[in-house]
Amino acid sequence: MTEQRESPHVVVLGGGLAGVACAHRLGDEGVRVTLVDRNDYHQFQPLLYQVATSQLPAEDIARPHRAIFREHPTVRIHTADVAEIDVENLALTLSDGERITGSHLVIAAGARPEYFGVPGAAEHAFALYSVADAERLRRHLQSTIRSTDPDEGALDVVVVGGGPTGVEIAGALTELMTALVATERLSKPGKITVVDRGDALLGAFSDKSHDYAHERLTRQGADPRLGTGVAAVHADRVEFDDGSTIATQTVIWGGGESAASVVGSATGLTTGRGGRIDVQPDLTVDGHPQVYAIGDVANIPAKDGTILPQLGSVAQQSGTWAADNILREVHGDKAKPFHYKDKGIMAMIGRNAAVAEVGRHRHQMEGPLAFAAWLGVHAMLLSGAHSKTDAFMSWAWDYFDRDHAATVEWSTAPQRIAWGDDSADVPHIIVDRGDSTTSAGSN
Ligand SMILES: Cc1cc2nc3c(=O)[nH]c(=O)nc-3n(C[C@H](O)[C@H](O)[C@H](O)COP(=O)(O)OP(=O)(O)OC[C@H]3O[C@@H](n4cnc5c(N)ncnc54)[C@H](O)[C@@H]3O)c2cc1C
């Protein structure tokens, strides 16, 4: 690289896996960064279902941005809601009207649930995109269990979507029900139904994995209902497109996602599938070489012309790559097309049950081997926010290995990730319950 020409100031919207990876890399090189996120913490989405089913406290999967960037003095954290993206002027407008302008803009605002216009879904279904969402669902399940008679089916849950999110939350819910029955908190478990329009669970996986997921979930007590679409969601029931209904107070939406809503505030951006920002192979936005879009908010082209999936490893790697391209440009070099190192696809169905497909030929694995693959990839994803990945590894092996009925506790999780006792590491999680706003854990 040649000598640096000018001092850049990179404004990053979003402190998820993509934004944190980008800011980290730039901070390592002493570049001035302003990272803007509505939350003062980073959240690790792959473990949200653990929070929703009382197996981990919300604090264990969230870490304050300030703690993450403690060793990076050039990275400034700004906690605020972004109202508008101004691509032309490389600026963000915050909800209080303040503007932040940089030499480069990195959009890493992530995704939100896509309800595909299903009536009542946005109002009545529980999404699982943030620790606040997971905490809201946990409290709802808790109060349902405490206040209702399971014999009347009050604990029955419908999970919409049979992809990894739907399968993982369904698996965790069956474990929760089993544990509550084993500890005599419930007389019988609630019924967990997983609905999908397709003809298999984990549709993007191989037939072998479809069968494995189906068999394991069924054995754990869930009821996969395939080839069925959701027509409407009500407060007390779900209607299906075949005219049938299931009475339930709990619908969990894992049925699709689209770009974060703030993308709609920007002009001059081309959006495609899922309302995501279409980017060039080097991750810049067409016509704006100083604007990058990375992670779940972007349609990132793969070498074969397809679009890369919305995965943690794509988000993290695209974040680091965008930072490297900014560094290249600042040093007078050409940006390079993003090269994704495929880590495979995987899902945890429960204790002792995981499935993974890795490598160029998508080698299929099940059980402990698949779990080991899952663990390796997730430890790497977590390493962006935590240096103590060994604490995560030891918690995860313990979770995977144990006899489940004994371990699920009801209000506070028994087996925490031993991140350490630094009080600066405690995130400030706000849960809007609809009626009031409280801090997580203050139940
Ligand atoms: C339930 C669930 C389970 C998953 N499991 C896995 C898994 O096992 N393995 C895997 O590889 N991937 C998994 N994923 C996908 C993975 O988590 C995502 O691909 C990844 O987190 C995307 O990172 P990101 O940085 O693009 O977005 P995010 O992590 O969503 O970060 C976006 C950030 O932008 C902020 N933001 C958005 N809009 C605004 C605004 N207007 N103002 C201020 N801030 C804003 C948000 O607060 C957030 O912090 C899962 C996803 C979910 C939802």
Side-chain angles (χ1 to χ4, degrees):
M1 289 189 180
T2 52
E3 203 185 320
Q4 184 166 319
R5 291 174 185 169
E6 60 186 77
S7 173
H9 170 213
V10 181
V11 177
V12 179
L13 162 51
L17 282 170
V20 163
C22 183
H24 235 143
R25 180 81 184 94
L26 293 167
D28 285 344
E29 296 300 315
V31 173
R32 188 154 75 91
V33 176
T34 301
L35 178 75
V36 188
D37 198 299
R38 60 163 65 96
N39 299 313
D40 70 351
Y41 53 84
H42 167 80
Q43 44 203 342
F44 191 60
Q45 290 176 339
L47 291 178
L48 289 176
Y49 70 93
Q50 293 270 356
V51 174
T53 55
S54 296
Q55 303 194 39
L56 268 180
E59 293 85 345
D60 277 19
I61 67 157
R63 189 161 192 235
H65 289 119
R66 284 197 171 79
I68 296 172
F69 292 102
R70 202 179 276 146
E71 313 280 325
H72 291 84
T74 60
V75 178
R76 185 174 77 98
I77 305 300
H78 198 103
T79 305
D81 220 310
V82 174
E84 205 180 292
I85 303 171
D86 181 349
V87 175
E88 289 300 331
N89 297 300
L90 305 170
L92 300 177
T93 305
L94 309 184
S95 53
D96 65 2
E98 186 188 345
R99 265 171 83 80
I100 301 178
T101 307
S103 62
H104 296 77
L105 189 57
V106 178
I107 306 167
R112 62 175 162 154
E114 171 61 63
Y115 297 107
F116 300 108
V118 172
E123 293 85 348
H124 302 299
F126 286 86
L128 206 53
Y129 270 85
S130 62
V131 285
D133 287 345
E135 197 43 29
R136 201 176 298 121
L137 176 56
R138 183 185 76 77
R139 292 180 190 189
H140 166 79
L141 289 168
Q142 191 177 45
S143 77
T144 309
I145 287 167
R146 282 183 178 157
S147 62
T148 49
D149 180 355
D151 292 331
E152 288 170 4
L155 287 176
D156 295 352
V157 177
V158 173
V159 177
V160 183
T165 300
V167 165
E168 289 187 342
I169 186 72
L173 283 166
T174 60
E175 288 185 345
L176 176 65
M177 297 296 172
T178 306
L180 290 169
V181 172
T183 51
E184 297 181 353
R185 291 177 178 110
L186 285 182
S187 57
K188 68 170 203 176
K191 187 172 163 192
I192 315 298
T193 307
V194 189
V195 187
D196 198 288
R197 272 186 199 284
D199 57 6
L201 295 174
L202 299 180
F205 291 58
S206 65
D207 284 349
K208 206 171 167 207
S209 297
H210 298 163
D211 294 345
Y212 178 78
H214 201 284
E215 190 273 325
R216 290 302 302 224
L217 262 194
T218 310
R219 199 192 317 163
Q220 284 171 212
D223 181 18
R225 188 166 169 174
L226 301 171
T228 309
V230 172
V233 181
H234 302 271
D236 59 353
R237 69 190 190 285
V238 182
E239 280 172 38
F240 300 103
D241 53 10
D242 60 6
S244 62
T245 59
I246 290 183
T248 180
Q249 298 173 24
T250 314
V251 177
I252 302 173
W253 196 263
E257 63 177 45
S258 54
S261 54
V262 67
V263 170
S265 72
T267 48
L269 288 177
T270 312
T271 54
R273 197 159 180 227
R276 290 181 284 267
I277 303 167
D278 291 335
V279 293
Q280 307 296 301
D282 65 1
L283 305 173
T284 60
V285 170
D286 193 17
H288 300 279
Q290 272 82 35
V291 181
Y292 289 78
I294 52 175
D296 278 7
V297 81
N299 283 322
I300 302 177
K303 274 189 173 159
D304 64 2
T306 58
I307 298 295
L308 290 170
Q310 282 67 57
L311 280 178
S313 41
V314 175
Q316 197 172 50
Q317 290 180 39
S318 63
T320 308
W321 199 279
D324 281 336
N325 273 347
I326 291 171
L327 291 167
R328 284 187 186 101
E329 187 225 310
V330 166
H331 291 91
D333 295 328
K334 265 186 78 168
K336 288 189 178 171
F338 176 50
H339 174 66
Y340 174 55
K341 288 197 186 110
D342 192 347
K343 302 290 174 197
I345 47 177
M346 42 203 78
M348 280 267 272
I349 304 161
R351 287 184 167 85
N352 271 308
V355 67
E357 298 186 1
V358 297
R360 234 169 17 122
H361 301 292
R362 286 275 186 258
H363 175 63
Q364 201 263 7
M365 296 184 278
E366 298 168 359
L369 260 186
F371 177 69
W374 181 96
L375 192 53
V377 168
H378 287 77
M380 198 167 56
L381 295 178
L382 262 169
S383 68
H386 282 280
S387 53
K388 297 181 191 162
T389 43
D390 50 335
F392 164 70
M393 306 273 256
S394 93
W395 165 81
W397 270 119
D398 193 65
Y399 162 77
F400 193 70
D401 245 5
R402 254 177 206 230
D403 169 20
H404 60 260
T407 57
V408 178
E409 177 112 351
W410 194 217
S411 54
T412 52
Q415 193 63 38
R416 301 197 51 173
I417 304 177
W419 293 127
D421 295 329
D422 189 342
S423 60
D425 268 8
V426 180
H428 182 230
I429 299 167
I430 305 289
V431 184
D432 180 357
R433 294 189 296 186
D435 51 346
S436 63
T437 298
T438 51
S439 288
S442 64
N443 212 17

